[in-house]
Each structure stands twice: as structure tokens, then as C-alpha cells.
Amino acid sequence: DGGITQSPKYLFRKEGQNVTLSCEQNLNHDAMYWYRQDPGQGLRLIYYSQIVNDFQKGDIAEGYSVSREKKESFPLTVTSAQKNPTAFYLCASSIGLGVIYEQYFGPGTRLTVT
Amino acid sequence: GQQLNQSPQSMFIQEGEDVSMNCTSSSIFNTWLWYKQDPGEGPVLLIALYKAGELTSNGRLTAQFGITRKDSFLNISASIPSDVGIYFCAGPQGGSEKLVFGKGTKLTVNP
């Protein structure tokens, strides 16, 4: 079955540590996205990538970094510079043709930093 | 930037009732997407609308692309307990592949 996997489901870290969230897709989609969701809020875009080895900042990129070395993978690193890292993180992908905007989401990773 | 306003913010209904919610913007959108998110899970795409005036159904769900292209509506008929969740609308920002999301309508269905 095609889909998007995110691991782990729950992640706990101490303040000051960097942490990397995994996102893998086997939908053969070109575009991938990372969102952050806080309670009672919509989804806010952190980073997105339309093609391998290229990515752009979204609305709240500060304190985060990404890489796109393979089409299937788009890991997100939450650095110690992110002031409020505790949140629900969602990865998504889309075909990326520029006329079809449907994005498909993974199950999410809940990160708690204490 | 473009914003999407969803209303109502929350709804409490009895099982079997019909539900209506909407999404509005001050900007024109060429695509409207409706998602449902269960607690602790990722959003699932319900319906995609690509043409002004379009009416599309998915089971008990029906969504419409407003004629002005500044709004969209989602209706759920004969609600059941598993309809509980948060419903988001979304649309592409300025023709790019980035989506802007509304803040969601939280639906509670009482058995």
C-alpha cells in the first residue's frame, strides 16, 4: 500500500538537544512538506521541497532544518534554536505538478521537549 | 497573506442530524480542499474542488465551490459518531503549491 510514514509517533527530548523527525513516502510524489500544529490551531508550514536537493522555507522555518537527498525522504531536524519545539509535526506529499494541489498526510509525530 | 476563515469554530450535534460548515476568504481561490483530522492523527483528504460552482459528494459528505470563488461549504448528512473530528478547509496560496489552512471546525456528535 502506498502512503506516508512518520516515525516515531511520540518523541521526548531534553531542552537543548537537536532531534530529527523521519518522513518517508512511497507515492512517487515530487513535493513534500512539513507542518507544525499547535492545539486549537491550523497547520503552519515549516519547510517544503518540490524536487530532490532543493527546498524552501515556509512561514515558520526559524529553528528548523531539512534535507532532501532522496525523493522518498524528507527528514526534519528541530534544533535547540527553536524556542517552542513541543508540538504535533505533520509531513505531507503531493504530486507536485503545479495544477493538482492535493496533499496527503502522514500520521504525525508528537514531540515533547522538557 | 491569504487567510481562510472557518465557521463555526465548533459544533455539538445529535447523531442523525445534518451538519453545515463553511470556509471564506477575502481572496479568490482556484482550488478548495476539505480535510478531516481525527484526534492524534494526520488529516485525511475528503473532497477536492477545482471549478467554481462545482458540487461534489463523497458518501454522506457534499462540498461546494462557491460561485464567487471566495468560499466553500461542506455538508454532512445523517451524522454518526465516527464523524467526530476537526474539519479543515485549505487552498493553494497565490497559485503556488503551498496550501493555506483554516483553523478548523471541531465537530462533536452525541449518540
Side-chain angles (χ1 to χ4, degrees):
Chain A
D1 287 338
I4 301 175
T5 57
Q6 291 185 244
S7 60
K9 182 69 173 172
Y10 299 94
L11 193 52
F12 299 87
R13 279 293 182 272
K14 294 289 186 186
E15 196 174 318
Q17 293 179 334
N18 292 353
V19 59
T20 297
L21 282 60
S22 166
C23 178
E24 304 276 334
Q25 55 99 357
N26 60 3
L27 299 168
N28 200 31
H29 284 172
D30 283 318
M32 297 186 74
Y33 311 81
W34 274 106
Y35 293 90
R36 171 184 172 132
Q37 186 176 32
D38 294 287
Q41 299 294 315
L43 279 64
R44 293 185 290 168
L45 183 65
I46 304 172
Y47 268 99
Y48 67 105
S49 168
Q50 293 175 297
I51 197 167
V52 173
N53 292 323
D54 188 43
F55 48 82
Q56 287 79 40
K57 292 181 180 179
D59 301 317
I60 55 164
E62 186 175 349
Y64 300 98
S65 66
V66 294
S67 63
R68 187 89 187 274
E69 297 176 2
K70 297 187 300 181
K71 186 175 184 177
E72 302 79 16
S73 179
F74 191 41
L76 172 75
T77 296
V78 184
T79 75
S80 56
Q82 168 49 233
K83 292 188 171 68
N84 296 298
T86 295
F88 190 48
Y89 290 89
L90 288 159
C91 178
S93 70
S94 67
I95 291 176
L97 292 174
V99 292
I100 298 175
Y101 300 101
E102 296 157 28
Q103 292 183 15
Y104 297 89
F105 286 83
T109 291
R110 185 168 298 281
L111 173 65
T112 302
V113 177
T114 58
Chain B
Q2 293 174 300
Q3 288 187 323
L4 294 178
N5 301 305
Q6 285 191 250
S7 65
Q9 274 189 308
S10 59
M11 303 181 75
F12 297 84
I13 63 170
Q14 292 298 124
E15 183 176 357
E17 289 183 358
D18 296 343
V19 172
S20 286
M21 59 189 77
N22 68 62
C23 187
T24 61
S25 174
S26 57
S27 307
I28 287 174
F29 279 78
N30 292 319
T31 299
W32 290 94
L33 305 173
W34 284 94
Y35 289 86
K36 182 196 177 202
Q37 185 177 30
D38 291 331
E41 298 295 330
V44 173
L45 181 65
L46 299 173
I47 293 177
L49 301 162
Y50 284 95
K51 188 176 177 183
E54 181 182 356
L55 191 70
T56 297
S57 293
N58 178 4
R60 293 177 295 105
L61 278 61
T62 302
Q64 183 163 21
F65 192 141
I67 291 291
T68 65
R69 294 161 66 191
K70 293 183 178 181
D71 55 13
S72 179
F73 307 89
L74 178 69
N75 296 314
I76 305 173
S77 62
S79 59
I80 59 178
S82 61
D83 290 333
V84 165
I86 302 177
Y87 292 79
F88 292 100
C89 62
Q93 291 190 48
S96 76
E97 289 185 37
K98 297 192 295 180
L99 294 180
V100 58
F101 285 81
K103 292 191 176 181
T105 292
K106 185 175 182 180
L107 178 63
T108 302
V109 179
N110 296 315

